[in-house]
Amino acid sequence: GSAGDDVLAAAEQLILGRPTEEPSAKEDWAREAREAQIAGLEDQIAALQKRCASLQKRLDTKPIIGHQSDPLNLEIGSHGHPTTSQGVLAHPRVQQAVHVLKGFTHRLLRSEALLLFFFAHVFVLYAIVFVHFTGGSTAPKDCLHMQLTEGSTGSKTLAISP
């Protein structure tokens, strides 16, 4: 009988959720360690929330830069340029060319690689022009000679000779 009663009592305690015996010292230590870890994490969360709030305040005091859709005012039809609606710049082909060039500029400004490639390209073109006009020599005596001559009718002409 008493063994059967003990088994029934243990089963009843398990079903009802009551512990069968007092928690051991090992279980108490593990529970206290978890509670200490949770308290430490809550302290870290509070410190991070405080830091986030202070950084947000600092950010709110700074002026907003670069949130415009067109910070360099490159959009076609942007106001403030009276020459775009007058003369040659009002021609549809010129406006189309301006639109294409502004789109190209936007793409260059968005990508550092494209921008560096563009500057390298311009540098190479300047070097080619320099070499062409100097005939491959950089000596001052070999550079271009310009001469302004006045014709018999009084008109002035510029003659360039290597």
Side-chain angles (χ1 to χ4, degrees), residues 36-160:
Q37 187 179 19
I38 290 170
L41 290 173
E42 288 173 344
D43 290 343
Q44 284 181 344
I45 289 171
L48 288 172
Q49 286 175 335
K50 186 176 179 180
R51 183 168 183 226
C52 181
S54 70
L55 289 173
Q56 186 63 47
K57 285 179 186 176
R58 283 180 53 195
L59 185 61
D60 290 342
T61 61
K62 303 263 183 201
I64 297 174
I65 298 173
H67 284 49
Q68 302 173 12
S69 63
D70 189 20
L72 297 176
N73 201 20
L74 295 174
E75 289 182 17
I76 296 293
S78 58
H79 302 340
H81 301 288
T83 57
T84 59
S85 62
Q86 302 169 359
V88 175
L89 294 178
H91 192 274
R93 298 266 185 199
V94 173
Q95 288 296 320
Q96 184 180 12
V98 167
H99 181 72
V100 168
L101 289 172
K102 286 183 178 184
F104 174 72
T105 304
H106 273 290
R107 284 191 302 279
L108 281 178
L109 293 174
R110 286 189 200 124
S111 169
E112 273 192 42
L114 282 176
L115 192 59
L116 288 173
F117 178 75
F118 176 76
F119 284 128
H121 173 258
V122 169
F123 177 77
V124 168
L125 288 177
Y126 274 118
I128 290 171
V129 168
F130 178 77
V131 168
H132 174 73
F133 280 121
T134 61
S137 173
T138 58
K141 65 179 178 66
D142 296 332
C143 287
L144 296 177
H145 298 283
M146 288 188 244
Q147 182 178 14
L148 184 61
T149 59
E150 189 172 336
S152 60
T153 60
S155 64
K156 296 182 180 179
T157 59
L158 181 64
I160 301 173

